[in-house]
């Protein structure tokens, strides 16, 4: 018997408004908006469900993502023509780009290079910036030991320096003239550090003019404007 959306317990808590559309379970954080921006860029209709961060440990959400992190998706038209659930933002970006034929170069070398920069975000920018957020802005800021904050500030500066070097040769986008999932993965974190963490000064962003110009170009894209506010905060 073919699988349906009803076979996913999460759909009993966050009910599909249109079961034929891709179901996105997310929140507008730097990780969450990666997927909504990609969907907007690819022109893929989707049904966005707001998952408050306090609800990612509920049985309903854990039934789709046992790692209790947003975003996660259910594609009603998965690889075998049946609904397919997927989590981890980087994996979702690759899946969507490959399925819909955009945001990822077809040339093998350029594809691998794009994935390299995607992993740069997944393994570096996201974790390091996020730890700065904890130790510099949120609950961890009350820890007296200055070493955690210094560690993540220094690493954030280093990572922005790597990105500055990549963009210093006149590239509009990380892959040159082609906007890809690498840009979509990284720019929400730089934007978040600037807007939410107020980290322009500690991260020395003014010393990264190519990064900041690239960030402005990313934000200015119409799909970014739409994706950055999805799902809506209720």
């Amino acid at each position: 018997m073919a699988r349906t959306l009803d076979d996913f317990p999460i759909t009993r808590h966050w009910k599909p408004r249109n079961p034929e559309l891709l179901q996105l379970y997310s929140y507008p954080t730097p990780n969450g908006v990666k997927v909504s921006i990609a969907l907007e860029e690819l022109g893929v209709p989707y049904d966005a469900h707001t998952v408050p961060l306090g609800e990612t440990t509920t049985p309903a959400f854990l039934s789709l993502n046992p790692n209790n992190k947003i975003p996660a998706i259910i594609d009603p038209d998965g690889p075998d023509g049946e609904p397919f659930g997927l989590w981890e933002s980087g994996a979702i970006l690759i899946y969507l780009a490959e399925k819909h034929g955009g945001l990822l170069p077809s040339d093998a070398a350029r594809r691998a290079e794009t994935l390299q920069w995607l992993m740069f975000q997944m393994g570096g920018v996201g974790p390091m910036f996020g730890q700065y957020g904890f130790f510099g802005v949120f609950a961890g800021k009350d820890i007296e030991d200055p070493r955690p904050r210094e560690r993540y500030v220094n690493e954030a500066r280093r990572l922005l320096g790597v990105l500055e070097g990549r963009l210093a040769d006149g590239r509009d986008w990380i892959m040159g003239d082609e906007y890809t999932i690498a840009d979509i993965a990284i720019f929400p974190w730089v934007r978040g550090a600037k807007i939410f963490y107020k980290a322009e000064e500690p991260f020395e962003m003014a010393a990264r003019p190519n990064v900041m110009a690239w960030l402005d170009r990313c934000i200015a894209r119409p799909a970014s404007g739409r994706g950055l506010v999805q799902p809506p905060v209720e």
Side-chain angles (χ1 to χ4, degrees), residues 8-120:
F8 291 82
I10 193 171
T11 63
R12 293 191 279 279
H13 184 83
W14 287 280
K15 298 183 183 300
R17 288 173 284 267
N18 186 338
E20 296 182 358
L21 299 184
L22 182 142
Q23 305 295 307
L24 170 64
Y25 305 91
S26 190
Y27 198 80
T29 66
N31 267 342
V33 297
K34 295 179 200 174
V35 176
S36 51
I37 292 169
L39 289 166
E40 294 287 348
E41 287 281 355
L42 292 165
V44 178
Y46 61 100
D47 190 355
H49 303 276
T50 304
V51 181
L53 300 184
E55 295 186 27
T56 60
T57 56
T58 60
F61 189 79
L62 291 171
S63 68
L64 179 59
N65 182 1
N67 196 38
N68 67 276
K69 303 290 183 184
I70 57 94
I73 65 168
I74 302 175
D75 183 354
D77 181 26
D80 299 316
E82 294 186 358
F84 173 67
L86 192 64
W87 47 276
E88 276 298 334
S89 58
I92 296 171
L93 289 178
I94 296 169
Y95 172 76
L96 293 175
E98 290 182 339
K99 177 177 180 179
H100 297 286
L103 302 175
L104 188 61
S106 57
D107 173 78
R110 286 179 57 80
R111 180 184 185 278
E113 192 176 1
T114 303
L115 296 180
Q116 165 188 269
W117 286 99
L118 172 64
M119 299 310 160
F120 170 78

Side-chain angles (χ1 to χ4, degrees), residues 127-158 193 197-204:
M128 297 300 106
F129 283 27
Q131 289 296 333
Y132 171 80
F134 179 81
F135 286 104
V137 181
F138 302 122
K141 69 180 185 299
D142 297 326
I143 296 174
E144 293 183 4
D145 188 339
R147 288 174 294 180
R149 184 178 182 279
E150 290 172 358
R151 153 73 174 160
Y152 296 117
V153 166
N154 290 336
E155 187 62 6
R157 290 174 181 168
R158 187 190 70 79
Y197 297 168
K198 309 297 183 186
E200 272 191 279
E201 183 175 345
F203 285 12
E204 298 179 346

